[in-house]
Amino acid sequence: MTLALLLLALGTFLLRFLPWRAEKGLKAGQAGPALVVALFLVSAFGPPPSSEWLRALLALLGTYMGARLTGNLGLAVFLGAGLYGLLGLL
């Protein structure tokens, strides 16, 4: 199931990222917000309230804090995805 979620997140990200890469005036860093939304939508599939929603919200909080502390949105998203995975092990 984790592999399926990762593949869905990657596919959603690529659907948003590839059109931006085709444009010459846009930079790759602008794909960060789309990646955050893609990860949230793929992970929050259970109806609220459920443990999946809490896990997704905590991962989003980790992503937000990572972006605020590092200023690097790519690193922040990887931090949030890692936190989401770790919370799934609990």
Side-chain angles (χ1 to χ4, degrees):
M1 181 158 185
T2 303
L3 179 61
L5 287 176
L6 288 174
L7 290 175
L8 284 171
L10 179 64
T12 305
F13 167 70
L14 288 175
L15 283 173
R16 287 169 171 81
F17 180 70
L18 290 177
W20 284 349
R21 291 295 290 174
E23 297 286 327
K24 298 295 181 203
L26 298 173
K27 296 186 175 44
Q30 293 171 323
L35 209 158
V36 172
V37 171
L39 287 174
F40 174 72
L41 291 176
V42 168
S43 63
F45 55 86
S50 72
S51 62
E52 290 298 315
W53 278 87
L54 178 62
R55 193 169 132 195
L57 288 174
L58 288 173
L60 280 175
L61 179 64
T63 303
Y64 173 76
M65 293 303 295
R68 296 284 293 178
L69 293 174
T70 66
N72 184 334
L73 199 51
L75 183 62
V77 169
F78 281 121
L79 181 93
L83 181 60
Y84 183 82
L86 287 175
L87 290 171
L89 295 175
L90 298 177

